[in-house]
Amino acid sequence: MITLFSNGCHVQDGSRDCRVACQDPNLIFDYTATLHNCLHYPLIARAISDQALENGSRAIAEEYGIVATDIAVATSTNNAIQQCLTDFASSTPNASRYVTTTCGGSPQSLCYHHTNICESIYAPVIDDIAGIGIYTSYWMQNGIALVAFALLRLFDFWIYYITIALLSCVYGFTGAKLKAEWAKQSGLRHRVPNLISALFEFQKAQCFFMIAVQVAAIIVMKQGGFQAKTLQQLFNSYSAITLVAICGFLPVVFTLLNLHGAGKDSWYIIALSTITIVISGITAFTTKRFTPSSNDVVELHGITGSWASCGNRNPTTFCLSPPTVDPFNYGGGVKHTFIFCIIVLSFLIIDKFGNSQTFLQAKAPTPEMNYPRRINTASWKQRTTTGFSTLSRLSIVPSFNNRLNNTTKKIVSNIVYGCVWILFLFFYCRCIYLLSKWLNQQSGVIGPSTWSFGQIVGITVWVPSLIQYLYLETRGMVAWFEQHVAGDHHIVQYHPAVGP
């Protein structure tokens, strides 16, 4: 099926006449829709001459000025387009090596005109979406989330068995078991709380950063401003935004699940994460179809060239070769990843409702304190991350909860938690694979860029969380809080066996 665009082939008097427009280089290359219609002109004219069109299709062709006697006009159209592409290729170093290449294309393709000039174009994604700093920032975001998960599992669970395996030959199984228990308790008292504290700050940082990125992407898609030089560059930017949307929900929900396991998923962080995920989902679904804004289209049509046979336009402006890999649907792409994250987020919110006393009874008014208040840090030192601790209680189904003993609850919790982590890692692998496939098919989309203000901000946005973790590891939790508590508040050391 051949599609003709109604906004193409307009001549000087405002009427639509492809027979006239497709013989004038100034009109052929003036508008994308006109070039599209003119590329199809020879094929349609020949089909009319061979009586290969149905009456309805023939009537539509006649509305565009294409009639049965247009074989000569079709040849003239073909020659006009050929002359433009030949002149461009012969005077452009990067395109000249493609001038004699054929690809067996159909008459409406640029390949049919004996040139693959579109292979020579450089169409990188704009810097504000995937410049060197921003692109690196996306990998840092996902890397920090994955490394934090690995360290939490190490200090919470793996360190016990790793210590036994490493020290059994030295201390024997009993001695190694004692060392392993000490290492685990040390991790739970110090390493895990430090990680969770830094992870909480990291979650806020990635939420605010991704909200800013996604809102900016939505605005520029609606209002224009990509400053693309070709349709291919504009398309690549849209595809990149679709992939970037993943960073607005996959690592966000992944980190929120880590905080949930440690009991640090406050309503504030859940609300902030939900807003981030919703905005990122809107971005992903907005870029599902490539629909450039009118401002971007006008800007593309305003790009000029020095080739008279091309109507003083640059023919590569109209180059567009969508890849076979669709970031939105391919494999475990954006769509499936988003659905999975929404399911996990829904369970976290439901579980938070089920365990929140705020929604079960009104809080009693807090009496006025006439003495210095103390911040208890015990929960940061003693809370473990053994699994869906709150979800395993199944507090939203009390009758079912009462029929389960603690051992069964723990087993169910660990199975559910383990399955969710496996699925998260699966989607991470699928998204990395999707990105690599997309980069391979769209070579040059991530080009070298200058270290502008935006690129530097993209890198440094994660620095505070990393510095906080290093400070906690070197100075301790109490020292960290002493730097952030003012007025009549102060920090006291707490030991569960002794008290404050």
Side-chain angles (χ1 to χ4, degrees):
M1 183 178 68
I2 298 175
T3 301
L4 296 176
F5 291 106
S6 60
N7 56 343
C9 293
H10 288 287
V11 294
Q12 292 181 353
D13 61 2
S15 63
R16 185 175 60 207
D17 191 344
C18 289
R19 192 174 190 274
V20 175
C22 292
Q23 295 184 79
D24 185 352
N26 293 307
L27 296 178
I28 293 175
F29 297 96
D30 180 62
Y31 193 63
T32 312
T34 301
L35 175 61
H36 171 88
N37 292 350
C38 292
L39 286 170
H40 286 81
Y41 195 111
L43 182 65
I44 298 174
R46 184 169 286 105
I48 295 175
S49 177
D50 296 339
Q51 297 183 348
L53 289 183
E54 298 177 353
N55 291 334
S57 298
R58 184 167 182 169
I60 293 175
E62 291 177 353
E63 291 180 8
Y64 285 80
I66 308 175
V67 295
T69 58
D70 278 357
I71 295 301
V73 177
T75 302
S76 176
T77 299
N78 185 77
N79 292 338
I81 297 175
Q82 174 67 53
Q83 187 63 49
C84 166
L85 300 180
T86 301
D87 291 347
F88 172 81
S90 62
S91 61
T92 306
N94 289 335
S96 61
R97 64 178 183 271
Y98 300 110
V99 66
T100 58
T101 303
T102 59
C103 60
S106 59
Q108 67 270 21
S109 70
L110 290 179
C111 292
Y112 177 78
H113 295 277
H114 309 295
T115 176
N116 289 333
I117 61 171
C118 288
E119 294 185 14
S120 67
I121 65 171
Y122 180 59
V125 177
I126 62 173
D127 288 350
D128 289 341
I129 297 176
I132 183 172
I134 301 296
Y135 180 69
T136 304
S137 179
Y138 299 143
W139 284 106
M140 289 180 63
Q141 176 190 2
N142 288 277
I144 292 173
L146 288 170
V147 170
F149 162 75
L151 291 177
L152 282 172
R153 301 285 77 75
L154 172 65
F155 296 133
D156 178 35
F157 180 75
W158 297 337
I159 193 171
Y160 179 81
Y161 298 98
I162 292 175
T163 303
I164 291 178
L166 293 176
L167 299 182
S168 292
C169 296
V170 179
Y171 297 99
F173 180 77
T174 302
K177 191 174 181 180
L178 292 174
K179 295 287 185 180
E181 185 63 31
W182 176 87
K184 181 178 181 179
Q185 292 302 319
S186 177
L188 292 177
R189 289 177 179 271
H190 303 290
R191 305 283 89 80
V192 170
N194 293 343
L195 271 170
I196 293 299
S197 178
L199 203 59
F200 191 88
E201 296 302 317
F202 169 73
Q203 180 72 351
K204 292 190 295 183
Q206 68 172 341
C207 284
F208 285 117
F209 178 66
M210 292 315 302
I211 287 175
V213 170
Q214 307 299 342
V215 170
I218 293 174
I219 292 175
V220 77
M221 283 190 294
K222 294 297 183 181
Q223 299 182 359
F226 282 99
Q227 298 180 342
K229 302 302 181 183
T230 65
L231 274 175
Q232 188 67 58
Q233 187 177 15
L234 193 58
F235 179 86
N236 290 347
S237 296
Y238 269 68
S239 298
I241 290 175
T242 305
L243 290 169
V244 168
I246 297 178
C247 297
F249 41 84
L250 184 60
V252 170
V253 179
F254 186 73
T255 305
L256 184 63
L257 188 58
N258 273 302
L259 294 173
H260 176 86
K264 297 303 176 185
D265 52 341
S266 64
W267 280 115
Y268 162 67
I269 206 67
I270 289 178
L272 183 60
S273 301
T274 302
I275 293 172
T276 307
I277 295 164
V278 171
I279 294 177
S280 301
I282 293 173
T283 304
F285 282 87
T286 300
T287 57
K288 182 179 179 181
R289 296 184 60 186
F290 178 51
T291 53
S293 68
S294 58
N295 290 335
D296 282 324
V297 173
V298 169
E299 186 174 354
L300 279 175
H301 291 152
I303 298 176
T304 59
S306 58
W307 301 273
S309 57
C310 301
N312 294 317
R313 302 289 180 135
N314 187 332
T316 59
T317 301
F318 305 101
C319 287
L320 176 60
S321 179
T324 56
V325 174
D326 176 10
F328 192 81
N329 295 302
Y330 185 81
V334 176
K335 179 175 69 174
H336 298 151
T337 305
F338 180 74
I339 293 173
F340 170 71
C341 290
I342 287 295
I343 292 174
V344 175
L345 177 65
S346 300
F347 274 106
L348 295 181
I349 293 175
I350 291 172
D351 187 61
K352 185 67 175 178
F353 269 106
N355 289 279
S356 177
Q357 295 297 321
T358 306
F359 297 92
L360 299 179
Q361 61 184 17
K363 286 187 174 181
T366 303
E368 184 67 26
M369 298 289 188
N370 296 320
Y371 52 87
R373 301 176 185 177
R374 298 178 298 180
I375 296 179
N376 189 342
T377 62
S379 60
W380 293 85
K381 293 187 175 183
Q382 303 300 319
R383 194 62 175 259
T384 64
T385 55
T386 55
F388 269 123
S389 56
T390 51
L391 185 60
S392 66
R393 292 199 296 269
L394 298 173
S395 58
I396 57 175
V397 190
S399 59
F400 182 58
N401 177 52
N402 294 334
R403 292 198 295 266
L404 299 178
N405 55 42
N406 290 332
T407 301
T408 304
K409 294 176 185 177
K410 185 175 181 180
I411 293 174
V412 171
S413 169
N414 290 333
I415 291 176
V416 173
Y417 211 25
C419 290
V420 172
W421 287 131
I422 290 173
L423 286 173
F424 260 114
L425 296 177
F426 166 77
F427 277 105
Y428 260 112
C429 292
R430 292 297 294 175
C431 290
I432 293 173
Y433 174 74
L434 171 64
L435 177 61
S436 64
K437 290 282 290 184
W438 181 73
L439 289 175
N440 289 336
Q441 291 203 19
Q442 301 294 97
S443 59
V445 293
I446 308 298
S449 58
T450 58
W451 283 95
S452 61
F453 175 78
Q455 308 304 312
I456 297 174
V457 170
I459 290 289
T460 57
V461 70
W462 315 117
V463 173
S465 301
L466 297 175
I467 291 180
Q468 176 176 340
Y469 178 65
L470 293 176
Y471 187 94
L472 289 169
E473 285 293 327
T474 56
R475 297 294 304 277
M477 186 71 68
V478 174
W480 170 261
F481 276 107
E482 285 177 345
Q483 300 295 323
H484 293 78
V485 177
D488 60 349
H489 297 75
H490 67 275
I491 306 298
V492 295
Q493 187 76 26
Y494 179 88
H495 191 283
V498 180

